[in-house]
Amino acid sequence: MLTPRLAPLTHRLTHRLTRRPQASASGVGIGAAVGRALTVWRRSVSARVVVSTVLLSTVVVGAVSWLLVVQVRDGLLDDRVRSATAEAETETVQAVDRLVGGSDFDVASQLELVAAPLSQRGAVRGYEVLVARSDADPASDLTTSGSISSPDLDLTSVPRSLREHFTSSTQLAWAWTSLRTTGDGTTSEVPGIVVGTQVQLPADGRPYTLYLLFPMEQEQETLALVTRSVLVADALLVVLIGGVTYLVARQVVTPIRLARKVAERLAAGRLQERLRVSGQDDLARLASSFNQMASNLQRQIQQLEELSRVQRRFVADVSHELRTPLTTVRMAGDMLHDARTDFDAPTARAAELLQVELDRFERLLGELLEISRYDAGAVALEVEDVDLRDVVERVVRQTATVAAGSGVEVDVREPGRPCVCAADGRRIERIVRNLVTNAIDHAESRDVVITVDADEHSAAIAVRDYGVGLAPGESAMVFNRFWRADPARARTSGGTGLGLSIALEDAHLHGGWLQAWGTPGGGAQFRLTLPRHSGDQVRHSPIPLLPADAEPVR
């Protein structure tokens, strides 16, 4: 049971803890709504057009409406000032006439003679009256300075600035004021205008000021009505503009969206898709041009596909057909090569050259057949656990003779721990052999460094040479079929020009990377990166593509 002191604290803590998930949920809801709104804004042309048009229309309509309200207000005020001053002048003339024709000679009677008719007409016409001495102190209280006024008028409604004006001037003057009246124990205050004129009483010869206070409730109500009407009209106009803009934008955007969908289907390989053409306007002509373009693309793609299919079939057929005569020529060449010691020197040399070129021709046929299998999509992997260190060791032994003949020393750097990945060992060995022989071929008697490393997700092999290198842009072209950076340079390894292309296809078949880096005169580095587990995607490599000893670009 909780003590009385702990009970309120526990209640507050429970209340806060129960409210936090709600606040968090509301925050997440607001964030999600903002995210959806931003997504719509980025992806929808019609939404941007409608919102932009509505915002600009709101600004323009608001400015025009403000100018209209200001003009109406100024017109009402100017009209009220003119009517008030005209009525004040008329009442002053009539008051003077009554004083001149009156028979009363005391001040009180003459003040009553002036104020009584004004108060009666003011009660009918809706204005208040105050008659006060002009030579009284403007700071003094009018109730103690011999003034006479309408019954419910609060004399503080007359501004001090207007009273000061009549201490030194007899000209008609007016001022804005807050007209305050009392009645039934309550005080009401409305905006108004005070018009003052000066008269002189014959009884004492002193100047008196006639203040006529006109309320402006009607003008205020009229201005409020105009403002409300303008605001309602503005809101309706902005809504109508938004609706019209949406309809217009939809008429323009809908064909564009249809064109986008058809373009996406064309990009996905559905070359028979076309836009529906209706009408003769610009959009219809655009749809016709789009359909014509799609038809031309379909025809050209079909021609290219047919040509590619014929070429692949031709390469495959020629490669297979050349196998039979190559076997015969190989047998004859082997016999001549075995008997070369019985020939004279030129004939023996010809037999040796024939053997070398037959070897190269056989490799070329094998690689052409491999390329044709890749083109036909008939390649399958035989996945097993492969230690890349063992692969590199075998390749170094196989290429030792070529490296020694070129004066190149191959340096292998490995981490001293297994670098195992799931791969086709035969194809990985072929990739590494192509990279190493290519590096020896371009090393120009300098060392070749092979780096092996692995991490939790990927394993990699990098082959670095310090030879001629690659010019800018050649790091991507080097994997093209039969491409050579310098066709005039002699090959020392008898390459066919397809090795790197096949290596790239083998790397992609494993879901890996095969990348190249190089600088002119600074050598090159080729990096093979493979996923550790079959079916995974390579996201990074344990070996950087840019070598640590690469010279900075100046």
Side-chain angles (χ1 to χ4, degrees):
M1 183 174 179
L2 297 175
T3 62
R5 292 184 178 180
L6 292 178
L9 179 59
T10 305
H11 176 73
R12 288 195 297 269
L13 288 175
T14 305
H15 181 65
R16 291 181 180 178
L17 290 176
T18 54
R19 291 192 60 183
R20 281 182 182 176
Q22 297 178 359
S24 177
S26 63
V28 171
I30 294 174
V34 173
R36 288 193 296 269
L38 292 177
T39 301
V40 173
W41 176 263
R42 288 193 302 266
R43 295 183 177 180
S44 177
V45 176
S46 58
R48 291 199 299 271
V49 171
V50 171
V51 172
S52 301
T53 304
V54 169
L55 290 178
L56 293 175
S57 300
T58 301
V59 173
V60 173
V61 171
V64 173
S65 301
W66 179 78
L67 292 175
L68 178 62
V69 171
V70 168
Q71 290 182 352
V72 171
R73 182 199 63 189
D74 293 342
L76 290 173
L77 296 180
D78 292 342
D79 183 68
R80 188 54 172 160
V81 168
R82 285 193 299 268
S83 62
T85 53
E87 190 162 357
E89 290 177 348
T90 303
E91 294 294 344
T92 302
V93 171
Q94 294 179 1
V96 171
D97 292 340
R98 288 195 299 273
L99 289 174
V100 172
S103 58
D104 298 325
F105 297 99
D106 60 295
V107 175
S109 299
Q110 289 184 352
L111 284 176
E112 185 68 23
L113 181 64
V114 172
L118 287 176
S119 298
Q120 294 176 359
R121 283 193 291 272
V124 177
R125 298 180 181 179
Y127 60 83
E128 305 293 335
V129 177
L130 170 63
V131 181
R133 285 174 53 183
S134 302
D135 54 358
D137 184 6
S140 63
D141 189 357
L142 289 174
T143 58
T144 61
S145 59
S147 62
I148 186 171
S149 64
S150 299
D152 298 332
L153 177 63
D154 186 346
L155 302 186
T156 60
S157 301
V158 178
R160 181 175 176 178
S161 59
L162 191 60
R163 294 176 58 188
E164 291 176 349
H165 169 77
F166 287 105
T167 59
S168 59
S169 176
T170 60
Q171 299 295 324
L172 181 144
W174 62 273
W176 302 114
T177 186
S178 293
L179 181 56
R180 290 177 288 274
T181 58
T182 59
D184 298 331
T186 60
T187 301
S188 62
E189 183 176 349
V190 296
I193 180 174
V194 182
V195 182
T197 57
Q198 201 170 74
V199 296
Q200 187 174 7
L201 292 185
D204 57 1
R206 291 182 176 181
Y208 285 79
T209 305
L210 278 66
Y211 296 102
L212 274 64
L213 295 87
F214 298 88
M216 301 187 66
E217 290 178 302
Q218 185 176 358
E219 288 77 6
Q220 187 179 24
E221 293 176 356
T222 302
L223 184 61
L225 177 61
V226 171
T227 303
R228 288 194 299 270
S229 301
V230 169
L231 290 177
V232 172
D234 290 349
L236 293 176
L237 183 60
V238 169
V239 171
L240 290 176
I241 291 175
V244 172
T245 305
Y246 172 75
L247 293 177
V248 174
R250 185 176 179 181
Q251 290 180 354
V252 176
V253 171
T254 299
I256 297 177
R257 289 178 177 173
L258 294 176
R260 175 183 60 82
K261 293 179 180 179
V262 173
E264 290 175 351
R265 297 190 189 105
L266 290 174
R270 299 167 60 179
L271 302 179
Q272 73 281 359
E273 292 288 337
R274 295 293 184 272
L275 286 174
R276 185 177 62 182
V277 180
S278 59
Q280 299 179 351
D281 55 6
D282 293 334
L283 293 176
R285 290 196 295 270
L286 175 62
S288 300
S289 301
F290 184 90
N291 291 339
Q292 184 178 0
M293 177 190 68
S295 299
N296 294 336
L297 287 176
Q298 182 182 15
R299 182 171 59 255
Q300 293 178 5
I301 290 173
Q302 290 174 349
Q303 292 175 355
L304 291 175
E305 289 178 347
E306 181 65 20
L307 178 61
S308 177
R309 187 186 64 81
V310 171
Q311 288 177 341
R312 291 196 300 268
R313 181 64 180 272
F314 175 76
V315 172
D317 292 345
V318 169
S319 301
H320 281 289
E321 292 299 327
L322 288 177
R323 282 290 184 182
T324 301
L326 178 61
T327 302
T328 305
V329 175
R330 165 62 73 181
M331 293 174 60
D334 289 343
M335 292 178 61
L336 293 175
H337 187 266
D338 293 339
R340 69 184 183 280
T341 57
D342 300 332
F343 302 147
D344 55 20
T347 306
R349 178 59 180 166
E352 292 177 354
L353 291 177
L354 177 62
Q355 187 72 10
V356 171
E357 293 303 322
L358 283 174
D359 292 339
R360 183 184 177 190
F361 188 33
E362 192 171 8
R363 288 197 303 272
L364 177 61
L365 283 179
E367 291 180 353
L368 285 174
L369 287 172
E370 187 70 16
I371 286 290
S372 65
R373 282 194 288 269
Y374 272 112
D375 291 338
V379 180
L381 291 177
E382 298 179 1
V383 179
E384 58 182 351
D385 288 338
V386 178
D387 193 338
L388 298 185
R389 299 181 303 166
D390 299 336
V391 174
V392 170
E393 183 180 353
R394 288 196 299 270
V395 171
V396 170
R397 287 199 305 265
Q398 295 169 5
T399 58
T401 303
V402 179
S406 302
V408 175
E409 183 178 350
V410 180
D411 181 18
V412 179
R413 300 174 184 176
E414 48 95 5
R417 63 178 185 276
C419 299
V420 180
C421 63
D424 190 328
R426 180 181 65 85
R427 296 182 185 278
I428 298 303
E429 185 173 336
R430 180 169 61 187
I431 295 174
V432 177
R433 184 169 54 250
N434 276 318
L435 296 181
V436 173
T437 55
N438 183 71
I440 294 173
D441 195 23
H442 294 80
E444 295 186 339
S445 301
R446 298 185 180 93
D447 293 345
V448 171
V449 179
I450 304 176
T451 305
V452 185
D453 202 355
D455 58 19
E456 183 180 356
H457 302 285
S458 58
I461 299 174
V463 180
R464 171 83 160 101
D465 69 76
Y466 298 89
V468 296
L470 296 172
E474 292 182 351
S475 59
M477 298 174 60
V478 73
F479 297 104
N480 294 343
R481 300 177 184 180
F482 300 108
W483 183 86
R484 296 182 66 184
D486 184 7
R489 191 180 59 81
R491 294 181 185 267
T492 60
S493 59
T496 62
L498 293 174
L500 290 178
S501 300
I502 296 176
L504 182 64
E505 296 290 347
D506 284 336
H508 289 169
L509 192 63
H510 287 82
W513 298 341
L514 182 58
Q515 299 163 298
W517 166 90
T519 57
Q525 175 165 294
F526 287 78
R527 182 184 68 180
L528 171 66
T529 307
L530 300 171
R532 293 289 300 271
H533 306 286
S534 180
D536 292 350
Q537 295 293 326
V538 174
R539 301 186 182 277
H540 67 280
S541 179
I543 301 176
L545 180 60
L546 181 66
D549 57 359
E551 295 184 0
V553 180
R554 297 181 180 178

